[in-house]
Amino acid sequence: MKSNDKRIYIIQILIALMCLPFIMGQQDQCQIDKTINQMIGQKFKPSAGQSSVYVTHLTFMDANTKTMMAQTVTAELINKAVVDGMQLAKNANSDLEINHPGHKLANTDGNVNKLVNIFWDVNLTKGDKIQKIVSELMDPNQVDAIVTGQYLEKKGDIINVRPFIVSKSKKSIVSKNHIFDKKQFLCEDPQTPSIKILCQSAHEKIRDSVKELLDTL
């Protein structure tokens, strides 16, 4: 095993053991991740009176600044991987509608920061946070699920990317956590070396985890 791979492997084990809180700011992240295994094979189904399940997408949040990720190349690359994963999920489940007119959230600073403020509100319980997201963001826009996530840069060129989905019908949040060495996250474009792209494995991990999350809810 290469030294970089070994370092990432050790960090992944430590985070798994410690179950560090990342999304909700509370000691409940282990349970959130466990729900994925408990829900394998279950898919979104339309709510009563609806023919489709309406899924929307918001740009990731920056866990360092607790704001929307700045409009950088990295944010755009993550968004592309997420959108690709949503499309894969739609290909496998015809009930899904992605960013359908009248059933989506505008991907604006205002909406992302509203989500950020709810997530880091220390006065709210996990259940309160989910209910507030539903009542303030999802219900007014007739949305069944929000696909978003958190991005965190750590010392030592370690990048933590956590896609997650908020489900209105299940009143739940499920997530997938990925840890990358910076050199394994951003690569040179083979066609234009001056341009940065997500390394293929990083793109695929984010894309596939979004599809898996949508498949298991």
Side-chain angles (χ1 to χ4, degrees), residues 30-45 93 126 130 144-145 165-176 211-217:
C30 298
Q31 188 59 41
I32 291 173
D33 287 334
K34 284 179 182 177
T35 60
I36 296 171
N37 291 328
Q38 296 168 356
M39 301 168 78
I40 293 296
Q42 300 180 29
K43 293 182 181 293
F44 270 130
K45 293 298 179 184
N93 184 356
K126 173 188 166 186
I130 293 173
D144 296 307
I165 296 174
V166 184
S167 167
K168 182 170 73 173
S169 64
K170 295 183 180 295
K171 299 293 190 294
S172 67
I173 295 175
V174 289
S175 69
K176 279 284 191 178
K211 178 186 181 299
E212 181 181 346
L213 289 169
L214 284 171
D215 283 347
T216 58
L217 279 176

Side-chain angles (χ1 to χ4, degrees), residues 76-94:
E76 291 177 4
L77 293 172
I78 292 175
N79 276 340
K80 185 179 186 307
V82 171
V83 170
D84 286 351
M86 293 167 68
Q87 187 58 51
L88 286 180
K90 178 175 172 55
N91 292 344
N93 184 356
S94 60

Side-chain angles (χ1 to χ4, degrees), residues 15 20-22 60-66 69 78 120 149-155 157-162 177-180 185:
I15 288 181
L20 293 176
F22 185 49
F60 275 37
M61 297 176 274
D62 187 322
N64 283 317
T65 62
K66 294 182 171 58
M69 277 189 76
I78 292 175
W120 273 288
Q150 292 187 354
Y151 174 89
L152 178 66
E153 287 195 28
K154 301 180 180 181
K155 293 181 179 179
D157 287 334
I158 298 299
I159 293 175
N160 194 175
V161 179
R162 185 186 290 273
N177 189 50
H178 299 291
I179 299 172
F180 304 97
F185 186 69

Side-chain angles (χ1 to χ4, degrees), residues 46-57:
S47 301
Q50 289 186 184
S51 59
S52 300
V53 177
Y54 297 105
V55 181
T56 197
H57 164 237

Side-chain angles (χ1 to χ4, degrees), residues 73 77 181-190 192-203:
V73 170
L77 293 172
D181 184 281
K182 198 165 188 177
K183 293 178 181 178
Q184 298 173 325
F185 186 69
L186 289 176
C187 293
E188 294 180 349
D189 186 327
T192 312
S194 61
I195 296 176
K196 292 293 186 181
I197 61 173
L198 283 189
C199 300
Q200 183 175 349
S201 62
H203 179 94

Side-chain angles (χ1 to χ4, degrees), residues 13-26:
I13 291 176
L14 289 174
I15 288 181
L17 290 174
M18 296 173 67
C19 259
L20 293 176
F22 185 49
I23 286 185
M24 305 302 290
Q26 300 171 0

